[in-house]
Amino acid sequence: MSCTLTFHGAAGTVTGSCYRLDLGERSILIDCGMYQGDKTLKELNYKPWPFDPRSVDAVLLTHAHIDHSGLIPKLIKAGYRGPVICTEGSRDLLRFMLPDSGGIQEMEVERLNRRNQRRGRGIVQPIYTEQEAQDSLKQLVPRDYETWFEVVAGLKARFWNAGHILGSASIEFHIADAGGGEPLKLLFSGDIGPDHKALQREPEAPRDLDVVVMEATYGGRPRPKLDAAQRRGVLAEEINTALAAGGNLVIPAFAVERTQELLADIARLMADGKVRRVPVIVDSPLALNITNVFAKYLHEENGVQTTTRNPFEGGSLRFTRSVEESMQIEQISGGAIIIAASGMCEAGRIRHHLKNNLWRPNATVLLVGYQAPGTLGRFLEDGERAVRIQGDEVLVRARIRKLEVYSGHADHEELLDWLRERLPVRRGVMLTHGDLDAIGALRASIAQWKEEAPHVTVPRLDETYNLRAPHPKLIKTPKPTPPRLDRYAQAEALAGHDWHNDYARLMLQVQQQLRAAKTDAERRRLLKKMQRVLGR
């Protein structure tokens, strides 16, 4: 029986995780994630599938993050009728996350269509609606960790705790040999959690494998090794410095896991007197629902690990649900901790709070996770002094701070340690879910293992590999026509900086130059120079 693997996402980038495993006439997907980041990548979410969704027999999810699960409703909308198999924790999270994703898309498309109508452009449709996402939940099928189940004839699988978020999993497959020999042993790492994570156990997975498909998000990037008390100490210093400045502390944080980690540590710091009690406002209906899910899994074996009874309760903690409640936060000019999604500042209510606080010199923005290239969060991290939010220019006068201690991903050394524990890996490792620099750094370190180093492959978007070969072998297959990304667009998108980013930066520079000009005559001369360049 033939066995091929095609990389429809997370190939040279950290988003859009989606792999298609074909076994003869059977086909399954591992993950079905939404692209995030710059506009060139996000446009892939709207394009047709590079395969027929009706031909897929099953979908298995590594975890609930939208960049791994967010296109499930689109797949079902296109005709997929099979199960979506995941852990129980992932199922409970997805009950809220997928409808929330659909609602955000409807809201953002409505806002875009208002602008398009004013500009004489056509309207667009959301990838899927909140109701379509709600309907897709009927196909979720939960499975226990470390328990084998048959996916299709000749293919069995089991989940291992990946230590990334609640319900996260690495997925082990055994693919039967038609001649009755040993099965092909395949492992998808999913997103691997770090050591000493705030609320999760350390990752687990089997060893003695044939092929490992491994994430490389933090390849080449070490982080400080801190225990729980040291981690809280670093957070306390950031909070106290921010509050001493007199402004608000704004924390962009994913509604899943990161928000709950922060709440648990902030509650502990306030209870111990390490941070003074101030309002802690979580402006996210999704985060409230997800926090309730976390409370359900307190102290379970593969659930939330914490030393306190319920770290998500406290007198100074307030969740908001309605838009009106969210807008009222704008009246708070200082002395509050405001947590809102998304963690990369790409959507949701955080953009409103950034718009309201970035221009304030006494405000602080604390980035507590990975910021993908091309996202607003990455521009802030990289020191941009002006950004565009919802079509408006916003000056960046606030302090921009970065904390690495809450990352949900293993760092460079932890990734290498995880892979060492999987050895031997006989046919090879395929590095995905990382930018090209991260993948290159991880690949170089693996090569230094010399005689025990497994063969390493770096797949590109929509490439197909034969897994029955001695090493994963690239197969020439018909590609989508036209390709989903042309060579130039793919290079730009994977570098995290496409023409949309250049356009936004140019518009900001033009506005700044016009304001800096001393007279209207100088401004007219500048505009005429630009018109000549454009041939007008």
Side-chain angles (χ1 to χ4, degrees), residues 211-225:
V211 178
V212 174
V213 181
M214 178 182 175
E215 70 118 324
T217 309
Y218 269 85
R221 297 176 66 182
R223 287 194 306 269
K225 300 296 186 287

Side-chain angles (χ1 to χ4, degrees), residues 424-435:
V425 180
R426 287 175 286 275
R427 303 194 187 197
V429 174
M430 309 184 85
L431 295 180
T432 65
H433 203 283
D435 62 41

Side-chain angles (χ1 to χ4, degrees), residues 62 162 169-171 187-192 212-216 418 432:
T62 60
S170 298
I171 308 178
L187 178 69
F188 288 82
S189 73
D191 286 358
I192 304 165
V212 174
V213 181
M214 178 182 175
E215 70 118 324
W418 182 90
T432 65

Side-chain angles (χ1 to χ4, degrees), residues 150-360:
E150 185 177 64
V151 183
V152 295
L155 177 69
K156 65 178 184 177
R158 60 178 168 176
F159 292 123
W160 293 84
N161 185 3
H164 175 58
I165 66 169
L166 177 64
S168 64
S170 298
I171 308 178
E172 179 186 9
F173 292 98
H174 281 193
I175 304 168
D177 181 76
E182 285 292 312
L184 180 73
K185 298 177 181 179
L186 172 63
L187 178 69
F188 288 82
S189 73
D191 286 358
I192 304 165
D195 298 337
H196 308 300
K197 197 167 188 292
L199 299 177
Q200 300 298 324
R201 295 191 315 174
E202 293 184 7
E204 301 171 317
R207 63 188 315 148
D208 188 20
L209 300 153
D210 291 302
V211 178
V212 174
V213 181
M214 178 182 175
E215 70 118 324
T217 309
Y218 269 85
R221 297 176 66 182
R223 287 194 306 269
K225 300 296 186 287
L226 305 180
D227 62 22
Q230 292 170 323
R231 181 189 66 245
R232 287 192 293 269
V234 172
L235 178 62
E237 183 176 352
E238 292 292 345
I239 292 175
N240 289 329
T241 302
L243 295 178
N248 292 321
L249 171 59
V250 180
I251 307 179
F254 294 112
V256 181
E257 192 87 12
R258 194 66 44 77
T259 292
Q260 290 73 36
E261 290 175 328
L262 288 165
L263 292 180
D265 277 357
I266 291 171
R268 178 71 177 271
L269 290 170
M270 289 184 175
D272 292 347
K274 302 290 181 63
V275 168
R276 65 184 172 93
R277 291 189 178 275
V278 298
V280 179
I281 304 168
V282 181
D283 187 22
S284 169
L286 176 62
L288 172 57
N289 291 327
I290 296 302
T291 301
N292 290 335
V293 173
F294 270 64
K296 170 185 172 183
Y297 285 89
L298 282 174
H299 306 295
E300 291 199 7
E301 181 181 358
N302 289 300
V304 179
Q305 309 296 309
T306 177
T307 57
T308 56
R309 184 174 180 183
N310 189 338
F312 312 127
E313 295 178 344
S316 43
L317 174 61
R318 176 161 67 94
F319 286 89
T320 62
R321 279 195 178 274
S322 69
V323 174
E324 291 73 22
E325 288 176 306
S326 178
M327 298 297 287
Q328 289 172 4
I329 301 172
E330 186 174 345
Q331 301 172 18
I332 304 174
S333 59
I337 300 173
I338 302 169
I339 302 174
S342 72
M344 297 184 193
C345 312
E346 281 299 281
R349 296 182 180 183
I350 189 61
R351 294 174 75 86
H352 174 75
H353 298 301
L354 290 173
K355 197 172 181 180
N356 187 45
N357 285 276
L358 276 175
W359 57 271
R360 301 176 187 269

Side-chain angles (χ1 to χ4, degrees), residues 470-528:
H471 301 303
K473 182 179 180 181
L474 180 63
I475 301 172
K476 291 186 177 180
T477 60
K479 294 296 185 292
T481 305
R484 291 198 292 160
L485 284 178
D486 62 40
R487 181 173 299 180
Y488 178 75
Q490 183 167 352
E492 279 200 325
L494 298 187
H497 198 91
D498 66 3
W499 72 267
H500 299 280
N501 303 134
D502 292 334
Y503 171 75
R505 181 173 281 113
L506 175 62
M507 292 299 99
L508 288 173
Q509 290 173 339
V510 169
Q511 292 171 4
Q512 291 165 359
Q513 287 290 324
L514 289 173
R515 280 198 299 267
K518 296 180 179 179
T519 66
D520 285 349
E522 289 182 22
R523 296 183 181 96
R524 283 194 292 270
R525 283 196 292 272
L526 176 61
L527 290 172
K528 286 181 179 178

Side-chain angles (χ1 to χ4, degrees), residues 9 19 25 30 49 64 97 116 128 138 149 158 168 206 221 275 320 356 369 380 422 448 495 502:
Y19 316 109
E25 296 181 354
I30 296 89
W49 294 101
M97 294 178 67
N116 284 348
Y128 53 85
K138 300 171 185 175
F149 56 91
R158 60 178 168 176
S168 64
R221 297 176 66 182
V275 168
T320 62
N356 187 45
L380 294 175
R422 310 284 78 79
Q448 294 175 9
D502 292 334

